[in-house]
Amino acid sequence: MTCEPVLSTCRNVPTSSGRKMSVTYATTKDLVRDLYPEIEPYQSGFLRVSDLHEIYYEQSGNPHGKPIVYLHGGPGGGTSPRDRRYFDPAVYRIVLLDQRGCGQSRPSAELRENNTWSLVADIEKLREHLKIDRWVVFGGSWGSTLSLTYAETHPKRVKALILRGIFLLRREELLWFYQEGASFLFPDFWEEFLAPIPEVERGDLISAYYRRLTGENDDEKLSHYFVNGGFFDEKDQILKDTYKILEHKIPTFVVQGRYDVVCPMKSAWDLYRAMPTMELHVIVDAGHSAKEDGICSKLIHAADQFRKL
């Protein structure tokens, strides 16, 4: 897998207060950049985080390097060996973990005691277990949700944020993807998504899938978080709490695909409006996946940029 660097243009964007912000627009170009070489963990294990759950984690790269933690997407995803390769292994102490019920964590697919705040607490327990003072936090899609929430809960422990495909877990985002919106772009796949749900239940597809949580379908597992509104106390909680990130002057680097249908650019734009000091890099010919060349390249660039922190 290779990643292509991108050439950027900037323009100023006026805010409601009259202050101008800059946003970078980039397109994938010809000069190829590789991911860092494949590496193996130098240490891995399981951390008991509750009477029920233990999470898998691993460390690779430089044992004495600068800590960076990778938060995977989902909810319900997991890590892979490729996820180690965004980071310079000579510089970074690379920490990967599988969230509760995900990947190699045990028990698999367990929804009890599984919510956003438990995951945030698990990240902090792992940091303490590894005796890390502060670290860079890296996450995309659902991983961006978790990264932002962790940073707002434990801002003193975050050196920087590298985010991709912003997902703020608001009702409007869920309705776009799971009720009506993306369905206009992908009517063929949408038909398959609707197929298991009786006509009478299709007015609320998230709830319909939630009632089928005992199934094995990954889409059904996702709805555990979505039907509960991410377990947040109020609407727009992530945006309302961005002042904590700003107060602690946490550098924030966001990569967003212009044609991201899963996590549309509006969420990244709303975050940018709330955090005018963050860097927003729009990849104009990309979608959602971190494996797309332009997005991949920009993420590696961000990690390289923070090597000096």
Side-chain angles (χ1 to χ4, degrees):
M1 174 65 191
T2 58
C3 300
E4 301 179 13
V6 290
L7 301 181
S8 303
T9 58
C10 298
R11 67 184 178 92
N12 291 323
V13 181
T15 66
S16 56
S17 63
R19 180 172 53 178
K20 290 184 177 181
M21 306 180 296
S22 64
V23 54
T24 297
Y25 296 86
T27 184
T28 304
K29 292 297 181 181
D30 296 330
L31 298 176
V32 175
R33 174 172 182 175
D34 292 331
L35 287 160
Y36 281 100
E38 293 183 9
I39 53 174
E40 294 298 321
Y42 63 80
Q43 190 265 331
S44 64
F46 290 87
L47 177 66
R48 174 66 61 180
V49 291
S50 77
D51 290 341
L52 178 60
H53 289 276
E54 56 181 357
I55 60 170
Y56 170 80
Y57 72 92
E58 62 177 52
Q59 300 187 80
S60 57
N62 184 349
H64 306 291
K66 299 182 178 183
I68 189 164
V69 60
Y70 178 98
L71 303 181
H72 66 71
T79 57
S80 73
R82 185 185 186 280
D83 300 329
R84 308 168 191 144
R85 300 179 60 196
Y86 295 105
F87 317 111
D88 185 343
V91 172
Y92 280 113
R93 178 183 175 186
I94 305 160
V95 181
L96 272 58
L97 69 135
D98 289 336
Q99 297 156 28
R100 293 190 182 199
C102 300
Q104 298 183 63
S105 291
R106 304 183 293 222
S108 177
E110 176 58 66
L111 298 181
R112 291 175 296 166
E113 300 178 17
N114 194 333
N115 58 70
T116 304
W117 302 110
S118 295
L119 303 190
V120 167
D122 293 350
I123 299 166
E124 186 63 2
K125 288 175 184 176
L126 180 60
R127 183 194 63 78
E128 293 173 347
H129 175 72
L130 298 178
K131 296 180 172 56
I132 291 171
D133 181 39
R134 299 169 67 226
W135 50 9
V136 176
V137 180
F138 181 110
S141 194
W142 161 251
S144 77
T145 316
L146 198 54
S147 298
L148 287 163
T149 306
Y150 175 78
E152 291 171 352
T153 307
H154 301 285
K156 293 181 179 180
R157 300 304 179 187
V158 179
K159 294 174 69 176
L161 289 166
I162 301 174
L163 309 174
R164 185 265 313 167
I166 297 300
F167 178 41
L168 302 175
L169 222 166
R170 298 173 294 179
R171 183 68 177 167
E172 65 197 66
E173 295 167 274
L174 298 176
L175 290 177
W176 156 264
F177 196 62
Y178 289 103
Q179 192 64 46
E180 187 173 69
S183 57
F184 283 79
L185 298 177
F186 298 98
D188 43 353
F189 292 106
W190 189 255
E191 199 168 281
E192 295 178 20
F193 181 65
L194 286 180
I197 307 300
E199 189 76 33
V200 69
E201 296 185 61
R202 292 181 181 178
D204 185 350
L205 290 167
I206 295 175
S207 295
Y209 268 100
Y210 186 66
R211 288 190 288 270
R212 291 159 175 80
L213 275 171
T214 53
E216 297 300 322
N217 188 298
D218 288 340
D219 289 327
E220 296 169 358
K221 302 299 183 186
L222 286 173
S223 62
H224 170 66
Y225 275 78
F226 299 161
V227 78
N228 288 291
F231 301 92
F232 290 119
D233 296 327
E234 56 182 321
K235 180 184 177 182
D236 288 340
Q237 183 165 341
I238 292 177
L239 285 179
K240 290 177 180 178
D241 286 349
T242 52
Y243 73 90
K244 300 175 184 178
I245 296 174
L246 294 171
E247 284 179 352
H248 287 80
K249 299 180 179 179
I250 300 172
T252 303
F253 190 112
V254 174
V255 182
Q256 180 68 43
R258 165 70 79 184
Y259 297 108
D260 189 336
V261 176
V262 181
C263 298
M265 184 177 156
K266 183 180 185 300
S267 296
W269 194 257
D270 290 345
L271 183 66
Y272 193 56
R273 289 290 187 177
M275 294 175 54
T277 58
M278 86 179 203
E279 295 185 44
L280 175 59
H281 301 273
V282 180
I283 311 302
V284 299
D285 53 357
H288 182 68
S289 176
K291 295 180 180 179
E292 294 180 62
D293 288 345
I295 291 178
C296 176
S297 177
K298 208 66 177 172
L299 290 172
I300 297 171
H301 169 77
D304 283 352
Q305 176 177 308
F306 290 136
R307 286 182 297 189
K308 299 179 181 179
L309 280 179

